[in-house]
Amino acid sequence: MVKMTRTVLIFNPLFLILFLFLPGPDLKAQNQGPLEYADSLYNHGKYTQALESYKDLLSDTGSASPAMLLKMAFIEEGLEDYGSALYYLNLYYLQTFEEAALQKMENLAKRHHLRGYEQTDSEYFTNFYFRYSPIIIAGIIGLAVLVFGILYYQKSRLKRRPTGWAILLVGLYACLFYLTNFGLDYQRGVLTGEYNLLRDAPSSASQPQTVAGSGHRVKVVGKKDTWIKVLWEGEEKYVRESQIKIILL
């Protein structure tokens, strides 16, 4: 014979108080995507939390919208992390090519005595190429097709040896090969460590020749193991990979 038992529920007023006054699950936050959630933190003035969410999003997806990069740069500047601020501004510029972003980077660098942001002729042409690279490559392809047509016409119809046109066509192909394989590498990096030790060799045993602060932008010329080879004042130096953020398109 089975013995029946009865469960008695005892009312406790403390449970009612907790139920009424403690916050329940944030259904609105649960329905938001990662970017919308980070933006909501930013719009509510929770900048450091928003920054961490933006960083997680950038790390997970490998991409960021211009608006997100601009917000990250704004927060980092407010936190006085000028190296990271300039890094995000540089990424923002490579997406938008806004002159205001260039001016902001140059002014911020001058204010804090940071190198690598001067608008030299070389820097101007580099920026010009990255801004108009699709048009430039399309123009070279179109010109190569035109030259090939002239070359074919003179050789097959006029029975000539168009040596000059042939040399021009080879030059256009060589230019196109270089631009499509090597020309889209921005080759820049921002030093982000508080004290960046620049060495002559990719080894901890090599004595550091220079100690550079955060925020300097350098040209990247190579990599060996966990060391990045950069140009500093015209000389090749090595810095640890953890102390530099490579600017990628």
Side-chain angles (χ1 to χ4, degrees), residues 1 19 50 77 105 135 143 185 188 195:
M1 179 175 180
F19 178 78
E77 185 180 1
M105 285 192 290
I135 299 174
L143 185 58
D185 188 359
R188 297 288 189 277
Y195 300 103

Side-chain angles (χ1 to χ4, degrees), residues 165-201:
W165 291 107
I167 295 173
L168 178 58
L169 184 61
V170 171
L172 290 172
Y173 281 145
C175 183
L176 189 62
F177 176 82
Y178 175 81
L179 291 178
T180 54
N181 289 277
F182 306 104
L184 293 178
D185 188 359
Y186 189 67
Q187 296 180 322
R188 297 288 189 277
V190 177
L191 301 178
T192 54
E194 185 176 359
Y195 300 103
N196 303 286
L197 305 179
L198 305 180
R199 307 172 189 267
D200 288 336

Side-chain angles (χ1 to χ4, degrees), residues 64-72 88 91-93 95-96 98:
S65 67
M68 174 176 152
L69 292 170
L70 203 57
K71 291 173 183 176
M72 296 176 77
Y88 295 127
L91 291 179
Y92 173 81
Y93 173 74
Q95 287 195 27
T96 64
E98 290 183 4

Side-chain angles (χ1 to χ4, degrees), residues 177-235:
F177 176 82
Y178 175 81
L179 291 178
T180 54
N181 289 277
F182 306 104
L184 293 178
D185 188 359
Y186 189 67
Q187 296 180 322
R188 297 288 189 277
V190 177
L191 301 178
T192 54
E194 185 176 359
Y195 300 103
N196 303 286
L197 305 179
L198 305 180
R199 307 172 189 267
D200 288 336
S203 171
S204 300
S206 175
Q207 290 295 322
Q209 302 299 314
T210 305
V211 180
S214 175
H216 296 288
R217 188 172 68 178
V218 292
K219 185 174 182 179
V220 176
V221 295
K223 179 181 178 181
K224 186 173 182 180
D225 298 327
T226 59
W227 297 87
I228 303 296
K229 185 193 293 186
V230 302
L231 283 183
W232 177 264
E233 296 183 341
E235 297 182 357

Side-chain angles (χ1 to χ4, degrees), residues 120-153:
T120 61
D121 291 339
S122 174
E123 192 70 20
Y124 173 80
F125 284 113
T126 299
N127 292 332
F128 179 86
Y129 170 73
F130 277 97
R131 184 170 188 173
Y132 298 107
S133 57
I135 299 174
I136 293 173
I137 291 176
I140 293 175
I141 293 175
L143 185 58
V145 172
L146 177 62
V147 171
F148 179 81
I150 295 173
L151 182 65
Y152 178 80
Y153 177 78

Side-chain angles (χ1 to χ4, degrees), residues 28 32 51 66 73 101 123 133 142 169 174 181 202 240-241 246:
K28 184 177 180 180
Q32 288 178 330
L51 180 61
E123 192 70 20
S133 57
L169 184 61
N181 289 277
R240 284 192 178 277
E241 190 176 12
I246 308 298

